[in-house]
Amino acid sequence: MIVKGAHRIFAKFCPQEARDGTTNEDKHFGLTTLAASIDHLLPYSRGGTNDDRNLVTACGPCQFGRNQWTLEEVEIEDPWKYPAVIDEWDGLTRLMVMKGKAPVDPNV
């Protein structure tokens, strides 16, 4: 998962590879899948609440692909069964130091 601010900076330096538009055709789907969102384990439309135990971080395909179905209906295990993964991944926040810099012209 990458943070939105880092994605914007990545797009500034690599506009074709990190394109992000308003339609699916305008987006690079590989990066879209790395965008984190909050998902309801029991969908809100099926009676799920905004309680912390019903919310998880999910990628777009997991959240929107599952839609209104329950975890059992799509045969996905409850993520609360496993401990959180804590590693060195920073969501590309290290790119934030490049925020004010101009893109490099590859023709120079």
Side-chain angles (χ1 to χ4, degrees):
M1 307 281 183
I2 60 174
V3 297
K4 287 182 181 182
H7 183 259
R8 283 191 293 272
I9 293 166
F10 187 56
K12 181 178 177 181
F13 286 85
C14 304
Q16 183 59 28
E17 293 79 5
R19 62 189 182 277
D20 188 27
T22 56
T23 66
N24 286 339
E25 292 79 23
D26 293 339
K27 297 179 181 187
H28 188 291
F29 196 70
L31 289 176
T32 301
T33 62
L34 296 176
S37 62
I38 297 175
D39 192 14
H40 292 85
L41 292 176
L42 177 61
Y44 194 77
S45 64
R46 305 273 295 270
T49 67
N50 290 329
D51 180 69
D52 289 346
R53 294 293 297 171
N54 192 45
L55 301 175
V56 294
T57 302
C59 67
C62 287
Q63 178 181 6
F64 300 111
R66 187 169 62 92
N67 202 354
Q68 79 278 1
W69 291 290
T70 66
L71 295 176
E72 294 80 18
E73 290 169 336
V74 294
E75 299 179 3
I76 295 176
E77 287 195 62
D78 184 344
W80 286 105
K81 286 176 58 175
Y82 303 96
V85 174
I86 300 172
D87 58 20
E88 300 300 317
W89 177 245
D90 69 354
L92 296 182
T93 55
R94 61 190 171 277
L95 294 178
M96 303 304 277
V97 298
M98 302 172 74
K99 187 174 183 177
K101 297 181 181 176
V104 176
D105 185 353
N107 299 317
V108 176

